[in-house]
mmCIF file of all heavy atoms in Angstrom:
data_model
loop_
_atom_site.group_PDB
_atom_site.id
_atom_site.type_symbol
_atom_site.label_atom_id
_atom_site.label_comp_id
_atom_site.label_asym_id
_atom_site.label_seq_id
_atom_site.Cartn_x
_atom_site.Cartn_y
_atom_site.Cartn_z
ATOM 1 N N ILE A 56 74.926 65.592 1.294
ATOM 2 C CA ILE A 56 74.051 66.688 1.339
ATOM 3 C C ILE A 56 73.023 66.615 2.464
ATOM 4 O O ILE A 56 72.650 67.583 3.152
ATOM 5 C CB ILE A 56 73.352 67.024 -0.006
ATOM 6 C CG1 ILE A 56 72.742 68.309 -0.050
ATOM 7 C CG2 ILE A 56 72.425 65.873 -0.318
ATOM 8 C CD1 ILE A 56 72.241 68.723 -1.441
ATOM 9 N N ALA A 57 72.555 65.307 2.770
ATOM 10 C CA ALA A 57 71.545 65.120 3.824
ATOM 11 C C ALA A 57 72.152 65.360 5.136
ATOM 12 O O ALA A 57 71.398 65.633 6.097
ATOM 13 C CB ALA A 57 70.948 63.789 3.654
ATOM 14 N N ARG A 58 73.501 65.271 5.331
ATOM 15 C CA ARG A 58 74.129 65.401 6.677
ATOM 16 C C ARG A 58 74.840 66.663 6.814
ATOM 17 O O ARG A 58 75.603 66.830 7.763
ATOM 18 C CB ARG A 58 75.110 64.167 6.875
ATOM 19 C CG ARG A 58 74.423 62.826 6.919
ATOM 20 C CD ARG A 58 75.377 61.713 7.213
ATOM 21 N NE ARG A 58 74.724 60.451 7.312
ATOM 22 C CZ ARG A 58 75.415 59.268 7.638
ATOM 23 N NH1 ARG A 58 76.702 59.286 7.847
ATOM 24 N NH2 ARG A 58 74.694 58.182 7.620
ATOM 25 N N LEU A 59 74.756 67.547 5.883
ATOM 26 C CA LEU A 59 75.436 68.804 5.923
ATOM 27 C C LEU A 59 74.755 69.651 7.136
ATOM 28 O O LEU A 59 73.543 69.846 7.158
ATOM 29 C CB LEU A 59 75.222 69.662 4.619
ATOM 30 C CG LEU A 59 76.102 70.886 4.484
ATOM 31 C CD1 LEU A 59 77.579 70.541 4.462
ATOM 32 C CD2 LEU A 59 75.621 71.548 3.187
ATOM 33 N N SER A 60 75.643 70.138 8.042
ATOM 34 C CA SER A 60 75.136 70.787 9.242
ATOM 35 C C SER A 60 75.408 72.292 9.161
ATOM 36 O O SER A 60 76.310 72.749 8.481
ATOM 37 C CB SER A 60 75.771 70.218 10.461
ATOM 38 O OG SER A 60 77.128 70.403 10.452
ATOM 39 N N VAL A 61 74.761 73.006 10.029
ATOM 40 C CA VAL A 61 75.001 74.494 10.157
ATOM 41 C C VAL A 61 76.444 74.687 10.665
ATOM 42 O O VAL A 61 77.148 75.589 10.229
ATOM 43 C CB VAL A 61 73.926 75.072 11.103
ATOM 44 C CG1 VAL A 61 74.301 76.632 11.281
ATOM 45 C CG2 VAL A 61 72.600 74.924 10.609
ATOM 46 N N GLN A 62 76.890 73.872 11.572
ATOM 47 C CA GLN A 62 78.232 74.025 12.166
ATOM 48 C C GLN A 62 79.274 73.860 11.086
ATOM 49 O O GLN A 62 80.236 74.550 11.046
ATOM 50 C CB GLN A 62 78.405 72.942 13.256
ATOM 51 C CG GLN A 62 79.727 73.134 13.936
ATOM 52 C CD GLN A 62 79.953 72.079 15.031
ATOM 53 O OE1 GLN A 62 79.151 71.213 15.162
ATOM 54 N NE2 GLN A 62 81.020 72.227 15.731
ATOM 55 N N ALA A 63 79.120 72.837 10.186
ATOM 56 C CA ALA A 63 80.072 72.627 9.161
ATOM 57 C C ALA A 63 80.178 73.790 8.183
ATOM 58 O O ALA A 63 81.263 74.247 7.766
ATOM 59 C CB ALA A 63 79.755 71.374 8.389
ATOM 60 N N VAL A 64 79.052 74.331 7.742
ATOM 61 C CA VAL A 64 79.021 75.474 6.849
ATOM 62 C C VAL A 64 79.594 76.785 7.621
ATOM 63 O O VAL A 64 80.426 77.452 7.040
ATOM 64 C CB VAL A 64 77.554 75.791 6.362
ATOM 65 C CG1 VAL A 64 77.553 76.974 5.462
ATOM 66 C CG2 VAL A 64 77.109 74.500 5.617
ATOM 67 N N GLN A 65 79.181 76.890 8.821
ATOM 68 C CA GLN A 65 79.699 78.159 9.603
ATOM 69 C C GLN A 65 81.265 78.082 9.690
ATOM 70 O O GLN A 65 81.958 79.040 9.470
ATOM 71 C CB GLN A 65 79.104 78.153 10.923
ATOM 72 C CG GLN A 65 79.507 79.412 11.770
ATOM 73 C CD GLN A 65 78.787 80.652 11.317
ATOM 74 O OE1 GLN A 65 77.601 80.801 11.313
ATOM 75 N NE2 GLN A 65 79.580 81.569 10.839
ATOM 76 N N THR A 66 81.712 76.846 9.955
ATOM 77 C CA THR A 66 83.213 76.770 10.150
ATOM 78 C C THR A 66 83.893 77.025 8.768
ATOM 79 O O THR A 66 84.932 77.725 8.735
ATOM 80 C CB THR A 66 83.571 75.312 10.641
ATOM 81 O OG1 THR A 66 82.903 75.130 11.901
ATOM 82 C CG2 THR A 66 85.088 75.150 10.790
ATOM 83 N N PHE A 67 83.371 76.501 7.729
ATOM 84 C CA PHE A 67 83.945 76.667 6.397
ATOM 85 C C PHE A 67 84.016 78.198 6.058
ATOM 86 O O PHE A 67 85.007 78.722 5.598
ATOM 87 C CB PHE A 67 83.177 76.001 5.347
ATOM 88 C CG PHE A 67 83.476 76.307 3.872
ATOM 89 C CD1 PHE A 67 84.690 75.928 3.367
ATOM 90 C CD2 PHE A 67 82.573 77.122 3.205
ATOM 91 C CE1 PHE A 67 84.963 76.301 2.011
ATOM 92 C CE2 PHE A 67 82.888 77.431 1.965
ATOM 93 C CZ PHE A 67 84.038 77.025 1.310
ATOM 94 N N LEU A 68 82.963 78.868 6.293
ATOM 95 C CA LEU A 68 82.907 80.321 5.948
ATOM 96 C C LEU A 68 83.792 81.125 6.850
ATOM 97 O O LEU A 68 84.412 82.145 6.357
ATOM 98 C CB LEU A 68 81.450 80.861 5.996
ATOM 99 C CG LEU A 68 80.444 80.246 5.098
ATOM 100 C CD1 LEU A 68 79.062 80.872 5.181
ATOM 101 C CD2 LEU A 68 80.967 80.457 3.496
ATOM 102 N N ASN A 69 83.898 80.767 8.110
ATOM 103 C CA ASN A 69 84.797 81.483 8.984
ATOM 104 C C ASN A 69 86.269 81.236 8.565
ATOM 105 O O ASN A 69 87.092 82.122 8.712
ATOM 106 C CB ASN A 69 84.632 80.946 10.476
ATOM 107 C CG ASN A 69 83.329 81.423 11.043
ATOM 108 O OD1 ASN A 69 82.679 82.366 10.534
ATOM 109 N ND2 ASN A 69 82.908 80.728 12.147
ATOM 110 N N GLN A 70 86.574 80.060 8.065
ATOM 111 C CA GLN A 70 87.949 79.828 7.538
ATOM 112 C C GLN A 70 88.239 80.773 6.361
ATOM 113 O O GLN A 70 89.375 81.184 6.229
ATOM 114 C CB GLN A 70 88.125 78.406 7.240
ATOM 115 C CG GLN A 70 88.088 77.427 8.440
ATOM 116 C CD GLN A 70 88.053 75.952 8.013
ATOM 117 O OE1 GLN A 70 87.796 75.629 6.798
ATOM 118 N NE2 GLN A 70 88.278 75.072 8.911
ATOM 119 N N GLN A 71 87.276 80.915 5.498
ATOM 120 C CA GLN A 71 87.537 81.786 4.336
ATOM 121 C C GLN A 71 87.763 83.302 4.847
ATOM 122 O O GLN A 71 88.577 83.916 4.216
ATOM 123 C CB GLN A 71 86.219 81.800 3.466
ATOM 124 C CG GLN A 71 85.994 80.441 2.829
ATOM 125 C CD GLN A 71 87.110 79.860 2.002
ATOM 126 O OE1 GLN A 71 87.771 80.595 1.214
ATOM 127 N NE2 GLN A 71 87.475 78.606 2.190
ATOM 128 N N LEU A 72 86.982 83.753 5.822
ATOM 129 C CA LEU A 72 87.304 85.026 6.355
ATOM 130 C C LEU A 72 88.650 85.163 6.984
ATOM 131 O O LEU A 72 89.378 86.158 6.820
ATOM 132 C CB LEU A 72 86.237 85.423 7.324
ATOM 133 C CG LEU A 72 84.791 85.675 6.843
ATOM 134 C CD1 LEU A 72 83.795 85.832 8.030
ATOM 135 C CD2 LEU A 72 84.694 86.922 6.018
ATOM 136 N N ALA A 73 88.986 84.119 7.676
ATOM 137 C CA ALA A 73 90.428 84.114 8.272
ATOM 138 C C ALA A 73 91.456 84.043 7.300
ATOM 139 O O ALA A 73 92.566 84.531 7.572
ATOM 140 C CB ALA A 73 90.514 82.949 9.296
ATOM 141 N N ALA A 74 91.220 83.534 6.192
ATOM 142 C CA ALA A 74 92.236 83.425 5.024
ATOM 143 C C ALA A 74 92.373 84.775 4.351
ATOM 144 O O ALA A 74 93.239 84.863 3.492
ATOM 145 C CB ALA A 74 91.936 82.357 4.055
ATOM 146 N N GLY A 75 91.640 85.735 4.705
ATOM 147 C CA GLY A 75 91.755 87.114 4.027
ATOM 148 C C GLY A 75 90.751 87.489 3.075
ATOM 149 O O GLY A 75 90.823 88.586 2.490
ATOM 150 N N LYS A 76 89.825 86.640 2.811
ATOM 151 C CA LYS A 76 88.761 86.973 1.828
ATOM 152 C C LYS A 76 87.809 88.106 2.430
ATOM 153 O O LYS A 76 87.574 88.078 3.580
ATOM 154 C CB LYS A 76 87.929 85.765 1.404
ATOM 155 C CG LYS A 76 88.651 84.707 0.625
ATOM 156 C CD LYS A 76 87.799 83.699 -0.003
ATOM 157 C CE LYS A 76 86.932 84.340 -1.193
ATOM 158 N NZ LYS A 76 87.789 84.764 -2.217
ATOM 159 N N SER A 77 87.325 88.944 1.516
ATOM 160 C CA SER A 77 86.472 90.033 1.994
ATOM 161 C C SER A 77 85.065 89.457 2.447
ATOM 162 O O SER A 77 84.662 88.324 2.032
ATOM 163 C CB SER A 77 86.361 91.062 0.855
ATOM 164 O OG SER A 77 85.535 90.534 -0.180
ATOM 165 N N VAL A 78 84.462 90.293 3.219
ATOM 166 C CA VAL A 78 83.085 89.834 3.695
ATOM 167 C C VAL A 78 82.139 89.729 2.490
ATOM 168 O O VAL A 78 81.386 88.756 2.448
ATOM 169 C CB VAL A 78 82.578 90.883 4.660
ATOM 170 C CG1 VAL A 78 81.066 90.643 5.038
ATOM 171 C CG2 VAL A 78 83.434 91.034 5.860
ATOM 172 N N ARG A 79 82.254 90.577 1.505
ATOM 173 C CA ARG A 79 81.379 90.449 0.369
ATOM 174 C C ARG A 79 81.586 89.155 -0.435
ATOM 175 O O ARG A 79 80.650 88.474 -0.853
ATOM 176 C CB ARG A 79 81.516 91.630 -0.552
ATOM 177 C CG ARG A 79 80.672 91.650 -1.781
ATOM 178 C CD ARG A 79 79.138 91.484 -1.325
ATOM 179 N NE ARG A 79 78.263 91.327 -2.520
ATOM 180 C CZ ARG A 79 77.027 90.879 -2.392
ATOM 181 N NH1 ARG A 79 76.600 90.346 -1.243
ATOM 182 N NH2 ARG A 79 76.313 90.723 -3.479
ATOM 183 N N SER A 80 82.875 88.752 -0.605
ATOM 184 C CA SER A 80 83.171 87.542 -1.318
ATOM 185 C C SER A 80 82.664 86.340 -0.557
ATOM 186 O O SER A 80 82.156 85.340 -1.122
ATOM 187 C CB SER A 80 84.675 87.408 -1.436
ATOM 188 O OG SER A 80 85.257 88.454 -2.217
ATOM 189 N N VAL A 81 82.716 86.312 0.794
ATOM 190 C CA VAL A 81 82.220 85.192 1.576
ATOM 191 C C VAL A 81 80.650 85.173 1.502
ATOM 192 O O VAL A 81 80.100 84.149 1.449
ATOM 193 C CB VAL A 81 82.772 85.223 3.022
ATOM 194 C CG1 VAL A 81 82.113 84.151 3.825
ATOM 195 C CG2 VAL A 81 84.185 85.137 3.036
ATOM 196 N N GLN A 82 80.097 86.326 1.446
ATOM 197 C CA GLN A 82 78.646 86.449 1.336
ATOM 198 C C GLN A 82 78.149 85.808 -0.062
ATOM 199 O O GLN A 82 77.130 85.128 -0.077
ATOM 200 C CB GLN A 82 78.169 87.891 1.457
ATOM 201 C CG GLN A 82 78.090 88.375 2.850
ATOM 202 C CD GLN A 82 77.574 89.774 2.855
ATOM 203 O OE1 GLN A 82 77.405 90.472 1.916
ATOM 204 N NE2 GLN A 82 77.219 90.207 4.138
ATOM 205 N N ILE A 83 78.927 86.008 -1.027
ATOM 206 C CA ILE A 83 78.689 85.401 -2.345
ATOM 207 C C ILE A 83 78.671 83.888 -2.325
ATOM 208 O O ILE A 83 77.831 83.192 -2.836
ATOM 209 C CB ILE A 83 79.588 85.963 -3.448
ATOM 210 C CG1 ILE A 83 79.307 87.415 -3.706
ATOM 211 C CG2 ILE A 83 79.382 85.189 -4.733
ATOM 212 C CD1 ILE A 83 80.225 88.117 -4.649
ATOM 213 N N LEU A 84 79.680 83.397 -1.556
ATOM 214 C CA LEU A 84 79.717 81.940 -1.354
ATOM 215 C C LEU A 84 78.444 81.448 -0.642
ATOM 216 O O LEU A 84 77.938 80.350 -0.962
ATOM 217 C CB LEU A 84 80.993 81.536 -0.557
ATOM 218 C CG LEU A 84 82.339 81.858 -1.256
ATOM 219 C CD1 LEU A 84 83.479 81.407 -0.288
ATOM 220 C CD2 LEU A 84 82.460 81.162 -2.585
ATOM 221 N N ARG A 85 78.066 82.077 0.426
ATOM 222 C CA ARG A 85 76.823 81.738 1.109
ATOM 223 C C ARG A 85 75.631 81.827 0.195
ATOM 224 O O ARG A 85 74.808 80.874 0.214
ATOM 225 C CB ARG A 85 76.709 82.479 2.417
ATOM 226 C CG ARG A 85 75.427 82.123 3.188
ATOM 227 C CD ARG A 85 75.243 82.942 4.416
ATOM 228 N NE ARG A 85 74.936 84.330 4.063
ATOM 229 C CZ ARG A 85 74.639 85.240 5.036
ATOM 230 N NH1 ARG A 85 74.571 84.933 6.246
ATOM 231 N NH2 ARG A 85 74.340 86.433 4.639
ATOM 232 N N GLU A 86 75.530 82.850 -0.525
ATOM 233 C CA GLU A 86 74.372 83.000 -1.422
ATOM 234 C C GLU A 86 74.320 81.791 -2.471
ATOM 235 O O GLU A 86 73.188 81.372 -2.754
ATOM 236 C CB GLU A 86 74.428 84.324 -2.137
ATOM 237 C CG GLU A 86 74.204 85.535 -1.241
ATOM 238 C CD GLU A 86 74.519 86.868 -1.877
ATOM 239 O OE1 GLU A 86 74.874 86.789 -3.111
ATOM 240 O OE2 GLU A 86 74.387 87.876 -1.260
ATOM 241 N N THR A 87 75.493 81.443 -3.012
ATOM 242 C CA THR A 87 75.523 80.413 -3.914
ATOM 243 C C THR A 87 75.051 79.065 -3.254
ATOM 244 O O THR A 87 74.275 78.379 -3.841
ATOM 245 C CB THR A 87 76.954 80.188 -4.485
ATOM 246 O OG1 THR A 87 77.409 81.466 -5.052
ATOM 247 C CG2 THR A 87 77.029 79.170 -5.549
ATOM 248 N N LEU A 88 75.677 78.757 -2.132
ATOM 249 C CA LEU A 88 75.247 77.559 -1.461
ATOM 250 C C LEU A 88 73.753 77.570 -1.013
ATOM 251 O O LEU A 88 73.036 76.517 -1.086
ATOM 252 C CB LEU A 88 76.186 77.409 -0.220
ATOM 253 C CG LEU A 88 75.919 76.029 0.590
ATOM 254 C CD1 LEU A 88 76.120 74.858 -0.200
ATOM 255 C CD2 LEU A 88 76.813 76.044 1.843
ATOM 256 N N ARG A 89 73.294 78.739 -0.597
ATOM 257 C CA ARG A 89 71.943 78.828 -0.188
ATOM 258 C C ARG A 89 70.932 78.570 -1.370
ATOM 259 O O ARG A 89 69.936 77.889 -1.267
ATOM 260 C CB ARG A 89 71.650 80.223 0.423
ATOM 261 C CG ARG A 89 70.224 80.467 0.846
ATOM 262 C CD ARG A 89 70.082 81.779 1.548
ATOM 263 N NE ARG A 89 70.504 82.844 0.659
ATOM 264 C CZ ARG A 89 70.717 84.130 1.099
ATOM 265 N NH1 ARG A 89 70.623 84.381 2.342
ATOM 266 N NH2 ARG A 89 71.071 85.109 0.207
ATOM 267 N N SER A 90 71.345 79.118 -2.486
ATOM 268 C CA SER A 90 70.583 78.904 -3.718
ATOM 269 C C SER A 90 70.457 77.388 -4.115
ATOM 270 O O SER A 90 69.454 76.851 -4.467
ATOM 271 C CB SER A 90 71.024 79.804 -4.852
ATOM 272 O OG SER A 90 70.247 79.553 -6.014
ATOM 273 N N ALA A 91 71.619 76.736 -3.983
ATOM 274 C CA ALA A 91 71.712 75.331 -4.377
ATOM 275 C C ALA A 91 70.957 74.550 -3.376
ATOM 276 O O ALA A 91 70.153 73.581 -3.766
ATOM 277 C CB ALA A 91 73.169 74.864 -4.350
ATOM 278 N N LEU A 92 70.996 74.759 -2.017
ATOM 279 C CA LEU A 92 70.271 74.006 -1.078
ATOM 280 C C LEU A 92 68.754 74.257 -1.132
ATOM 281 O O LEU A 92 68.002 73.416 -0.768
ATOM 282 C CB LEU A 92 70.815 74.297 0.347
ATOM 283 C CG LEU A 92 72.267 73.789 0.552
ATOM 284 C CD1 LEU A 92 72.696 74.106 1.982
ATOM 285 C CD2 LEU A 92 72.384 72.298 0.335
#
């Protein structure tokens, strides 16, 4: 968690979009991670 970078999170979310998930679903993933961090 201390070494988690912006690039790693951005790449992960971009992969979810490329896999066909909707923008709103990916936003929920970011909101969940943002709340935890």
Side-chain angles (χ1 to χ4, degrees):
I56 191 172
R58 296 184 179 181
L59 192 62
S60 64
V61 177
Q62 182 181 7
V64 177
Q65 183 74 64
T66 301
F67 166 73
L68 295 179
N69 289 345
Q70 290 173 349
Q71 298 300 316
L72 289 172
K76 293 194 69 64
S77 66
V78 174
R79 182 55 186 160
S80 298
V81 177
Q82 283 184 344
I83 292 175
L84 296 181
R85 181 180 64 175
E86 291 170 3
T87 304
L88 182 60
R89 180 174 59 191
S90 180
L92 294 180

